[in-house]
Amino acid sequence: MIRTWNEESLDHRNALLYAMGITEEDAKRPIIGILNSWNEMNPGHFPFRDVIAELKEEIYQAGGLALELPVSGICDGICSNTPGDRYTLPSRDLVSTEVETLAELNMLEGMLLLSTCDKVVPGMLMGALKVNIPTVMFTGGYMAAGHYQGEMLTLTHTKQAFAAYQGGKLSKEDYKGIVRSACPTPGACPFMGTANTMCATAELLGFSPFGNASVRSQTEKWHALAREAARRLVQLVQQEIRPLDVITRDNFENVVRYMMATGGSTNSILHIPAMARMAGIDIDPVFFDKISAEVPWISAIYPNHKTYTMEEFDRAGGLNAVVGELLEAGKIIGTAKGMFGTTVAMAQGSRSLDANVIRSCADPIHPHGGLAVLKGNIAPESCIVKFAAIPRGLWTFSGPAKVYESQDDAWQAMLNDKIVAGDVVVIRYEGPKGSPGMPHMETFMAAVLGKKMGSDIALVSDGRFSGATGGLAIGHVSPEAYDGGPIAFIQNGDMIHIDIEHRSLMVDISTEELAKRKKGWKPLVKPATGYLALYRKMTSSAHRGASIYWDL
């Protein structure tokens, strides 16, 4: 058994189980917690209601007793461009705390984690790595792409449409039609954003059954994978195989290699180091950039491609085909092991079924991975750019700074045409401590794209972005403004120079001038109470995962 009970404690627990109709014989089975993030506010987690009975049946038939326990399951999209967005990144650490607490308080023998979305997947995995009892994760699959008047849609298109509507370039009828049509089914938003990147992370780390990360939600195949996950978990419990018996640095490296090959979400550079930290493994943004130089970018779906979504990616072979192409080229570690087998087994012998969607490493979209880590006198530690979503002609950009202390101020300026072509917009005090909570700068960039100015304006911020963000957006500037990073001292009109190829972000301020501007400086302190105040007090920087657990 994973847990050790004395007779009195076990009987005390069982007395409470009997109250809910659990028999004396069933109470002798290993109790497996189904930690379920299902709720009615999140389409990514909504499908789990359909699969609970199957999971419980499989676990019971294999010799375990499955009991369902709720865990928070937030959706970033629900609170986008509201004060609630400050809670989304901090919710990751909250979820990890819930998983840890439920597992330890209830003395679970194993956990089946049900999760799909941006912060919930990494939060649950952080908790699983802390607890280190037999665990698998089953993710919710992707939603269908939307369509309106023959054009492909995803959730992020609604933000672009709003800017176009506000600017008089789109009728109200068409704008509302896009909103109604953007999300036609439950599941993860069908672009290469954080949700699908994190579902892939769960599979590549070894927690999910092969094929789970790129399966359509609520399909027959999705249900079959759920049953496979349940059966495998009972075997892990019976054999007492824990995550850290299997998962090593090689698994985390494979996650980064896959991300680079697919132009995954910039949020991963917050989540992967935070997860690795729970396993006693140190990863920083420099590691991502090193892998970026080694692994070619071979697959592009929205926002890295105008029309391809997870539907096309799935038909081309999905994650397994990408892994197969990387294995063929020696660009991924085939011997890395997980709960379901090695990386070689994960590929299942797959290769791309559509070279337009998933290319070979010999014929890549670009010889380097889709994310880049920049440094310079604006970001002495690091900052992040998803250059897979940026036209090559914008990899160098120079312009005068236009400075805002919040995304909302910049967004309003964009809607009211106060930002012009050539500007480098600086949005600061939106980092982990400054906001606090490090909300998305997605709404501002969607307005830029909606106004057809994606090639005319750059953004530099200590905030972060949705994985669906397109355009020249540089985030995670570290140190952040709240901590006295140089971004706090940029003034309107300062010339900023971006050079993605050479990994550089610079402002024309001398060391002497910077020191002069720092004299007497005090940070802008935005209001925060409750959990956000606690998060501000305890969180690490974006360079170190923006986690309250980094130094614990």
Side-chain angles (χ1 to χ4, degrees):
M1 297 285 284
I2 296 295
R3 304 292 189 174
T4 302
W5 294 83
N6 64 55
E7 184 178 10
E8 187 277 337
S9 296
L10 188 59
D11 285 340
H12 198 262
R13 182 204 73 173
N14 287 348
L16 294 168
L17 297 183
Y18 300 156
M20 296 178 286
I22 294 172
T23 67
E24 189 171 352
E25 284 304 308
D26 281 351
K28 296 175 182 177
R29 292 168 175 255
I31 292 184
I32 292 169
I34 300 180
L35 274 60
N36 188 2
S37 56
W38 175 85
N39 63 79
E40 293 183 319
M41 283 291 291
N42 183 341
H45 293 158
F46 192 74
F48 292 132
R49 179 175 60 180
D50 299 344
V51 82
I52 285 292
E54 297 166 63
L55 295 173
K56 288 184 175 181
E57 178 187 16
E58 290 290 340
I59 288 170
Y60 193 84
Q61 288 180 353
L65 178 65
L67 301 178
E68 187 180 357
L69 299 159
V71 172
S72 301
I74 65 100
C75 172
D76 293 34
I78 291 291
C79 60
S80 179
N81 200 27
T82 75
D85 193 19
R86 298 190 299 162
Y87 284 87
T88 57
L89 180 58
S91 77
R92 179 198 65 190
D93 290 1
L94 183 64
V95 167
S96 79
T97 305
E98 289 184 85
V99 170
E100 176 188 1
T101 301
L102 289 172
E104 300 291 26
L105 184 150
N106 293 293
M107 296 278 280
L108 299 177
E109 296 288 327
M111 294 188 292
L112 177 50
L113 308 176
L114 303 184
S115 178
T116 304
C117 289
D118 301 30
K119 311 305 175 295
V120 190
V121 171
M124 281 193 169
L125 294 178
M126 286 172 67
L129 290 164
K130 279 188 285 184
V131 173
N132 197 32
I133 62 173
T135 301
V136 302
M137 175 175 277
F138 179 65
T139 55
Y142 65 86
M143 73 165 59
H147 292 86
Y148 183 73
Q149 295 185 347
E151 299 292 325
M152 183 277 291
L153 291 177
T154 69
L155 177 64
T156 192
H157 287 89
T158 66
K159 288 184 172 291
Q160 297 174 28
F162 180 79
Y165 162 56
Q166 288 292 101
K169 297 178 180 178
L170 189 69
S171 70
K172 183 174 183 178
E173 180 183 0
D174 285 336
Y175 166 59
K176 296 295 185 181
I178 288 169
V179 171
R180 285 191 301 270
S181 305
C183 299
T185 72
C189 294
F191 44 71
M192 192 52 73
T194 311
N196 283 306
T197 304
M198 287 296 102
C199 291
T201 295
E203 187 170 334
L204 287 153
L205 284 180
F207 282 98
S208 298
F210 300 150
N212 191 185
S214 45
V215 67
R216 168 78 180 272
S217 186
Q218 300 175 306
T219 59
E220 184 177 337
K221 181 180 178 182
W222 182 74
H223 281 273
L225 288 169
R227 289 183 176 273
E228 180 184 345
R231 288 192 298 271
R232 180 58 181 152
L233 176 56
V234 178
Q235 292 172 357
L236 293 169
V237 171
Q238 292 167 343
Q239 297 166 21
E240 298 190 12
I241 297 174
R242 303 167 186 261
L244 295 183
D245 295 337
V246 178
I247 293 169
T248 69
R249 187 180 181 86
D250 286 352
N251 300 71
F252 285 97
E253 181 168 332
N254 278 352
V255 172
V256 178
R257 289 178 175 274
Y258 175 87
M259 278 177 49
M260 294 303 170
T262 56
S265 169
T266 53
N267 283 306
S268 302
I269 303 185
L270 298 171
H271 299 327
I272 292 169
M275 285 185 280
R277 191 79 168 179
M278 300 301 99
I281 297 167
D282 285 332
I283 291 175
D284 64 16
V286 175
F287 179 76
F288 286 78
D289 207 50
K290 176 179 177 291
I291 300 299
S292 179
E294 298 174 4
V295 177
W297 173 29
I298 61 172
S299 181
I301 67 171
Y302 190 83
N304 310 332
H305 189 278
K306 289 184 178 180
T307 59
Y308 294 160
T309 68
M310 285 296 294
E311 293 179 344
E312 286 75 21
F313 185 70
D314 184 6
R315 286 196 291 268
L319 178 146
N320 310 98
V322 172
V323 172
E325 296 295 340
L326 293 174
L327 281 168
E328 177 70 15
K331 299 294 185 181
I332 199 166
I333 302 168
T335 55
K337 297 177 181 178
M339 304 301 122
F340 295 85
T342 65
T343 307
V344 170
M346 182 184 298
Q348 303 172 343
S350 299
R351 299 291 296 277
S352 173
L353 301 175
D354 186 342
N356 292 313
V357 181
I358 300 173
R359 301 170 75 159
S360 73
C361 292
D363 182 31
I365 300 166
H366 190 270
H368 292 170
L371 299 177
V373 178
L374 314 184
K375 295 181 71 173
N377 67 351
I378 296 178
E381 288 186 325
S382 64
C383 59
I384 310 302
V385 64
K386 185 174 183 177
F387 74 86
I390 302 170
R392 181 93 188 227
L394 290 180
W395 288 8
T396 59
F397 192 100
S398 294
K402 194 161 281 187
V403 181
Y404 299 92
E405 313 293 10
S406 73
Q407 174 178 219
D408 189 61
D409 289 346
W411 180 60
Q412 294 292 343
M414 190 70 219
L415 292 179
N416 291 303
D417 300 321
K418 294 180 180 179
I419 295 169
V420 299
D423 283 344
V424 178
V425 175
V426 175
I427 303 178
R428 61 193 180 196
Y429 290 100
E430 296 284 22
K433 296 178 185 177
S435 183
M438 204 180 184
H440 293 103
M441 302 297 102
E442 172 191 22
T443 300
F444 174 79
M445 285 308 298
V448 171
L449 297 175
K451 291 209 165 210
K452 310 299 183 186
M453 296 185 73
S455 298
D456 303 322
I457 291 168
L459 172 62
V460 174
S461 178
D462 53 10
R464 62 189 177 87
F465 302 100
S466 163
T469 299
L472 181 47
I474 295 173
H476 303 205
V477 168
S478 189
E480 62 175 292
Y482 186 88
D483 280 338
I487 191 172
F489 307 105
I490 296 173
Q491 296 178 357
N492 286 325
D494 288 342
M495 287 299 296
I496 293 177
H497 307 284
I498 299 165
D499 188 338
I500 294 174
E501 194 90 47
H502 295 95
R503 305 298 197 259
S504 174
L505 176 64
M506 299 292 291
V507 60
D508 286 344
I509 303 175
S510 68
T511 303
E512 294 75 19
E513 174 63 18
L514 182 60
K516 180 180 176 183
R517 294 183 186 183
K518 284 184 176 182
K519 287 182 179 179
W521 169 83
K522 291 183 180 180
L524 172 65
V525 181
K526 297 181 178 179
T529 59
Y531 183 48
L532 286 184
L534 180 66
Y535 181 78
R536 170 184 278 161
K537 183 178 180 179
M538 296 185 66
T539 188
S540 60
S541 68
H543 185 73
R544 293 176 176 83
S547 172
I548 65 174
Y549 287 113
W550 190 265
D551 291 323
L552 297 181

